[in-house]
Amino acid sequence: VHLRPFDPGHAHVGIQVADRASVFGRLSEAGVVIGTGPTTLTDAGPYWTGATVANVLDPGGITVELVQRPLR
């Protein structure tokens, strides 16, 4: 069964970063497999709306979600 990153039961690790674009760019340049994103969440409630997320895959195939939260 192939689970997508947003499917219930899909294993992933979330990491909050201060500059998602910089981290995403460095990982991409290093040859890390890019999953999805970047995507800015809308209508996701007061805690998540405005957050930007991008997914990459670790060497074992686990999704690593990079999250940049908006300044409040």
Side-chain angles (χ1 to χ4, degrees):
V1 174
H2 176 71
L3 295 175
R4 299 165 297 177
F6 48 84
D7 286 336
H10 176 33
H12 78 283
V13 175
I15 299 173
Q16 184 170 333
V17 297
D19 184 353
R20 190 250 347 123
S22 175
V23 173
F24 192 72
R26 285 184 291 168
L27 291 172
S28 180
E29 289 174 4
V32 172
V33 176
I34 305 301
T36 61
T39 302
T40 300
L41 303 179
T42 59
D43 196 28
Y47 191 71
W48 288 105
T49 295
T52 303
V53 299
N55 295 307
V56 298
L57 297 177
D58 78 358
I62 299 294
T63 298
V64 178
E65 181 180 48
L66 306 173
V67 181
Q68 182 176 345
R69 309 248 336 175
L71 298 175
R72 303 231 186 250

